[in-house]
Amino acid sequence: MQTPAQPSSTEEHEIHLGTGMGPLKFGASQDEVRSLMGEPEEIEESEEEDEFEHQAWNYLDEGYSLYFDREDDYRLSCIETDHPGIRLYGEAIHGRSPEQIQELMKGHGHEHSEIEKMDTGEMRISYEKEMIDMYFEDEELQFVNFGVFIDEDLEVQWPA
């Protein structure tokens, strides 16, 4: 009897803008995520003053936080990761410089970014249309936060 092939780590940690990462797809139910990832190490509920009611499922050992918004029926809508194996467009991006990331994005048609320097010294590069924020410390990419696409009318565009 053959066992099903396990996804390779390069596929598993590949960011697909607007769609998800590896086998995790935006729009997945909490049960679907649980069957893929197992039980989270912790579940955080949003604070009352937060703009959106949500749950964050933290998989600390794997370096993931998965976000489920109440208004989206607690479907997976955002992923934050600092996993060292994260990839974008087939390239490893963890530890890359802001310039390298901007070149990669530009090479795939993503020209419009916003750069913000934080008071704490970190830097964030955001691509609003692509729904991705990349955070740098000491000129190296540390973590990425990305989500499902939203159109001009603020309607969520769940992947097919």
Side-chain angles (χ1 to χ4, degrees):
M1 185 161 105
Q2 282 191 304
T3 56
Q6 291 296 313
S8 72
S9 61
T10 58
E11 291 171 2
E12 198 174 320
H13 305 295
E14 179 76 25
I15 294 170
H16 300 282
L17 295 175
T19 302
M21 183 171 70
L24 287 170
K25 300 285 183 249
F26 294 130
S29 70
Q30 290 181 331
D31 287 340
E32 290 168 327
V33 169
R34 191 177 279 115
S35 71
L36 277 171
M37 300 286 293
E39 287 296 323
E41 289 154 66
E42 69 179 27
I43 296 176
E44 293 179 60
E45 299 282 341
S46 55
E47 303 292 324
E48 279 187 34
E49 65 272 2
D50 285 349
E51 189 176 339
F52 298 105
E53 245 183 272
H54 67 272
Q55 280 187 355
W57 287 17
N58 298 319
Y59 294 88
L60 305 171
D61 290 341
E62 288 93 357
Y64 300 119
S65 291
L66 309 179
Y67 293 86
F68 302 87
D69 290 335
R70 186 177 70 87
E71 77 175 38
D72 294 325
D73 300 319
Y74 289 105
R75 292 164 55 184
L76 180 62
S77 60
C78 183
I79 299 171
E80 185 171 286
T81 182
D82 65 357
H83 192 283
I86 54 175
R87 302 174 69 79
L88 182 62
Y89 296 115
E91 295 189 32
I93 60 171
H94 194 269
R96 290 259 186 112
S97 72
E99 295 76 24
Q100 290 171 316
I101 294 298
Q102 288 176 305
E103 279 302 309
L104 175 64
M105 293 296 282
K106 194 175 286 184
H108 291 276
H110 311 297
E111 303 267 340
H112 304 289
S113 63
E114 292 179 20
I115 298 172
E116 182 181 355
K117 298 231 190 258
M118 315 291 192
D119 295 338
T120 52
E122 293 108 354
M123 181 171 100
R124 182 184 77 213
I125 298 179
S126 298
Y127 290 84
E128 188 175 344
K129 192 171 136 249
E130 292 78 14
M131 296 297 292
I132 186 167
D133 296 320
M134 296 176 244
Y135 295 84
F136 298 82
E137 194 172 313
D138 299 326
E139 293 291 305
E140 291 185 354
L141 181 66
Q142 297 300 311
F143 69 95
V144 178
N145 184 307
F146 58 103
V148 67
F149 288 160
I150 298 173
D151 70 13
E152 299 82 34
D153 299 323
L154 300 179
E155 293 292 321
V156 174
Q157 303 298 299
W158 297 111

